[in-house]
Amino acid sequence: MRPTVAFATGLLLSQASAHGGCLNYTVGDTWYPGYAPFDDQTFQDAAPWMVQRKWITNDPISETANTSLSCNTPGTPARAYIPILPGQNITAVYMYWVHTVGPMIAWMARCPNDDCHSFDSSIADWFKIGERGLQDGTIELGNWFQKTFSNWDGEPSLWSETVPKGLKKGKYLVRHEIISLHSANKPQFYPECAHLNVGGEGTEEPGTEYLVKIPGVWNMDQPEINIDIYSPEVSNRTTYKIPGPPVWTGIQEQ
């Protein structure tokens, strides 16, 4: 049995503070509460409805080789799964996101033996299902999705991506990652993960060209990651290429 929407909203509000993270999820009209780092951990650790992997701080991860980069700290597996079908949207819910510059990337990874409960996310084969970057304007002052998705009127900030069409049924991790670039040459990573149970009769899987390890995909040799957005040669650029593999969207309609 899942908590009520009122309880989910309480979790949302209790986690609003500097920085932030993915707090809840929705599929259609159904809400799935995530882990609340500053609420009672004993209660949440035992909750049978918990779909999100445990995270205990909303401070960023700053090292590209940190094993916590895969599913935050400590990344302890959740106990439940969000049911979803290929082609459906999963929406990550944030509150009071304060940063404005940098890409946002959604990932998935198949859990071996259809079991995410004992799976080490740092050895997963991750593939992108969506990415959002600079929408218009310049790198320093333009409209990034990270900037425009934020709401400051008390409403949640919503980020929706589609589970790839035709995806092979089974248990998966979904990972939402915000990379904030407002500190020169000091990228900040904000990842959270949840468990998905993908239904349907799909058989498709991404090829190896779409798969990466996390940590592993990012490093400080990448100019898009090790970047000073205030430097004259960067600040007025109007394009930003999100590094990493291409997005895998599954079966394309003819």
Side-chain angles (χ1 to χ4, degrees), residues 195-234:
H195 292 185
L196 297 184
N197 183 6
V198 176
E201 300 300 325
T203 59
E204 299 296 313
E205 297 180 272
T208 56
E209 69 271 25
Y210 294 96
L211 303 178
V212 297
K213 300 293 186 183
I214 303 174
V217 66
W218 311 133
N219 64 75
M220 295 301 285
D221 291 330
Q222 295 168 316
E224 303 90 352
I225 296 298
N226 187 5
I227 187 173
D228 178 358
I229 66 167
Y230 311 105
S231 65
E233 65 272 21
V234 172

Side-chain angles (χ1 to χ4, degrees), residues 4-17:
T4 63
V5 171
F7 180 78
T9 303
L11 288 180
L12 272 172
L13 295 175
S14 69
Q15 296 181 65
S17 60

